[in-house]
Amino acid sequence: EAQVTQNPRYLITVTGKKLTVTCSQNMNHEYMSWYRQDPGLGLRQIYYSMNVEVTDKGDVPEGYKVSRKEKRNFPLILESPSPNQTSLYFCASSLARGNTEAFFGQGTRLTVV
Amino acid sequence: GESVGLHLPTLSVQEGDNSIINCAYSNSASDYFIWYKQESGKGPQFIIDIRSNMDKRQGQRVTVLLNKTVKHLSLQIAATQPGDSAVYFCAENIRGAQKLVFGQGTRLTINP
């Protein structure tokens, strides 16, 4: 089954404790991205990757890092989480840059206290 | 600037009726407009897209209309069913950019 898998689904952590949210897709997609979803603000792009070892900032990259060492994986790293990073996070993949059909993961609800 | 907005945050319809969800956009550099559906507890799911040089596109029970004159996009769902209950997002693919720009969403609820 074609899918994007994120882990964990839920996470509560404390300010400053480094965490990683994993994302994996099994569709051999080139393009992957991370979004955060906040009430009233919709989905905003954090980082994206056009292929292995090619990543770039989206609209709200501050406080986040990503890596793309393999085509299937695109982890999101919060080196020092803060309460304003409490949000619902989605990983998405699509066949290539500019492709309108993005496949989203189930989401990771992160709470930073 | 880049923005995609929605006329109404909520829409309630009777089961079996047609639903129309509206969206306004401001960026004229978009080459595609897209509708996504997000059910509770799930990630957004692609429904249908329309190229900017088209006015109308039909899918299964859905029709998307694009009016470039007034920068308006709509999604029509025929014979709305309980399974259509979700938040619907319009999005635009900005030519040359590396992202989809999403609107804030409209929650569609179905009354029995």
Side-chain angles (χ1 to χ4, degrees):
Chain A
E1 180 189 354
Q3 60 185 8
V4 177
T5 304
Q6 293 178 229
N7 279 296
R9 292 289 310 276
Y10 302 92
L11 179 60
I12 301 175
T13 190
V14 296
T15 299
K17 185 177 181 182
K18 181 180 178 179
L19 66 92
T20 299
V21 183
T22 64
C23 173
S24 181
Q25 51 94 3
N26 63 0
M27 296 168 279
N28 202 36
H29 283 170
E30 289 187 352
Y31 187 87
M32 297 185 74
S33 57
W34 277 101
Y35 292 86
R36 60 178 289 174
Q37 185 174 32
D38 302 289
L41 297 175
L43 285 148
R44 294 179 292 167
Q45 192 185 58
I46 303 170
Y47 266 94
Y48 65 91
S49 169
M50 289 195 285
N51 215 323
V52 175
E53 302 292 1
V54 181
T55 64
D56 210 343
K57 297 177 181 179
D59 294 322
V60 287
E62 294 77 21
Y64 304 95
K65 287 174 56 177
V66 293
S67 69
R68 187 93 181 271
K69 293 182 170 54
E70 306 164 283
K71 199 170 188 178
R72 63 183 293 126
N73 295 325
F74 190 46
L76 179 70
I77 303 154
L78 284 72
E79 294 271 4
S80 182
S82 62
N84 65 10
Q85 293 179 296
T86 292
S87 186
L88 180 58
Y89 291 87
F90 288 101
C91 178
S93 75
S94 56
L95 193 60
R97 181 190 81 177
N99 192 283
T100 59
E101 185 173 3
F103 293 80
F104 284 80
Q106 294 277 67
T108 296
R109 184 165 293 282
L110 172 66
T111 302
V112 184
V113 298
Chain B
E2 300 172 1
S3 70
V4 180
L6 293 168
H7 291 308
L8 294 171
T10 60
L11 178 65
S12 184
V13 299
Q14 291 295 123
E15 183 177 347
D17 287 352
N18 296 336
S19 302
I20 300 176
I21 302 170
N22 296 304
C23 179
Y25 67 92
S26 62
N27 196 316
S28 299
S30 301
D31 56 2
Y32 278 92
F33 298 88
I34 312 105
W35 284 99
Y36 279 83
K37 173 186 180 183
Q38 186 176 21
E39 296 176 90
S40 181
K42 296 184 178 180
Q45 182 180 18
F46 175 91
I47 302 173
I48 190 169
D49 63 8
I50 185 168
R51 194 165 180 158
S52 60
N53 62 356
M54 298 172 64
D55 299 320
K56 180 179 180 179
R57 189 174 184 206
Q58 288 185 292
Q60 188 176 12
R61 275 202 312 120
V62 295
T63 301
V64 56
L65 299 177
L66 177 61
N67 186 330
K68 292 179 286 294
T69 302
V70 295
K71 295 185 178 179
H72 184 267
L73 183 72
S74 69
L75 177 71
Q76 300 179 5
I77 305 173
T80 311
Q81 304 168 358
D84 295 327
S85 291
V87 176
Y88 289 81
F89 292 94
C90 60
E92 52 183 324
N93 188 65
I94 299 170
R95 196 177 296 113
Q98 312 302 333
K99 62 184 178 183
L100 298 174
V101 177
F102 286 86
Q104 294 187 21
T106 293
R107 181 174 298 281
L108 177 65
T109 58
I110 315 303
N111 300 318

